[in-house]
Amino acid sequence: MCYDRYVAICKPLHYGTLLGSRACAHMAAAAWATGFLNALLHTANTFSLPLCQGNALGQFFCELPHILKLSCSHSGYLRELGLIGVSGCSAFGCFVFIVFSYVQIFRAVLRIPSQQGRYKAFSTCLPHLTVLSLFVSTAAFANLKPPSISSPSLDLALSVLYSVVPPALNPLIYSLRNQELKDALRKMMTGCFSGAIKCLCSGV
């Protein structure tokens, strides 16, 4: 998404060639393959960990730090920490790429002479930045917070914020920028409202 915004704002004349259907398919395939491989490695390793403190987690999904707390295997624990380190490096690389892209975007936007043009360019980046900031801030806080302020309810709330809310917001935020979808939604809401009025009137 950030690369899409970078090309659209910094290299608009090359948008069709840099972000054609083939390039989008390659980027989507790379993202899915990386995510699948990452999940597969962590799942395979955590299923091989012997648990000596029961198997009940105070979470709604098998979050790695909570599984590691239940493990009594030193080698499996170190292996999982190594995998987390590799995942962290990959995530940090993505974060650096996003920051670099947005620095270039903001530099290009600030060179736009009209205020309306700057506002329009910034508004196209705002949804992605909002979802990204929510995900990064809550995920970082959940995994890096000191144990002294940790509690089951706080851990659960944070995990919902970074694992459920951003994916749920994505379709809503990005699709509502589409004018056709806005018109269809407005038409549907008007139809529902008029139907409810008719039902109330016929009931009276």
Side-chain angles (χ1 to χ4, degrees):
M1 193 63 207
C2 124
Y3 183 64
D4 173 78
R5 295 298 85 207
Y6 167 74
V7 175
I9 292 172
C10 299
K11 303 186 177 196
L13 298 178
H14 301 283
Y15 188 87
T17 53
L18 292 175
L19 268 176
S21 56
R22 193 175 200 175
C24 290
H26 286 165
M27 285 191 290
W32 289 334
T34 305
F36 179 77
L37 180 62
N38 184 47
L40 184 67
L41 289 172
H42 285 296
T43 303
N45 188 58
T46 50
F47 270 108
S48 68
L49 291 174
L51 305 178
C52 55
Q53 298 182 43
N55 61 356
L57 294 174
Q59 283 287 350
F60 66 96
F61 70 106
C62 294
E63 199 172 21
L64 292 173
H66 292 274
I67 295 174
L68 292 178
K69 287 177 186 175
L70 304 177
S71 171
C72 52
S73 167
H74 188 64
S75 61
Y77 186 87
L78 290 176
R79 192 167 57 242
E80 184 57 38
L81 284 180
L83 286 173
I84 290 173
V86 170
S87 300
C89 289
S90 173
F92 183 72
C94 291
F95 181 73
V96 168
F97 175 76
I98 290 169
V99 169
F100 175 77
S101 297
Y102 271 111
V103 166
Q104 299 302 315
I105 288 169
F106 290 146
R107 285 178 62 193
V109 169
L110 291 173
R111 287 198 295 267
I112 296 173
S114 72
Q115 187 174 353
Q116 187 179 1
R118 286 197 298 270
Y119 173 77
K120 188 176 178 182
F122 273 128
S123 68
T124 62
C125 302
L126 196 58
H128 180 242
L129 278 175
T130 303
V131 174
L132 183 71
S133 301
L134 177 66
F135 173 75
V136 170
S137 59
T138 51
F141 184 70
N143 292 298
L144 300 175
K145 70 181 184 305
S148 58
I149 63 168
S150 184
S151 70
S153 56
L154 178 63
D155 291 345
L156 188 61
L158 287 171
S159 60
V160 167
L161 276 175
Y162 77 78
S163 66
V164 175
V165 175
L169 283 178
N170 266 335
L172 182 69
I173 287 175
Y174 297 126
S175 61
L176 285 181
R177 296 189 62 79
N178 184 319
Q179 190 59 44
E180 289 178 13
L181 191 70
K182 282 183 186 177
D183 293 340
L185 192 62
R186 193 178 296 114
K187 192 175 179 180
M188 186 182 77
M189 295 299 286
T190 305
C192 289
F193 183 71
S194 59
I197 294 292
K198 283 178 185 175
C199 286
L200 285 172
C201 291
S202 61
V204 171

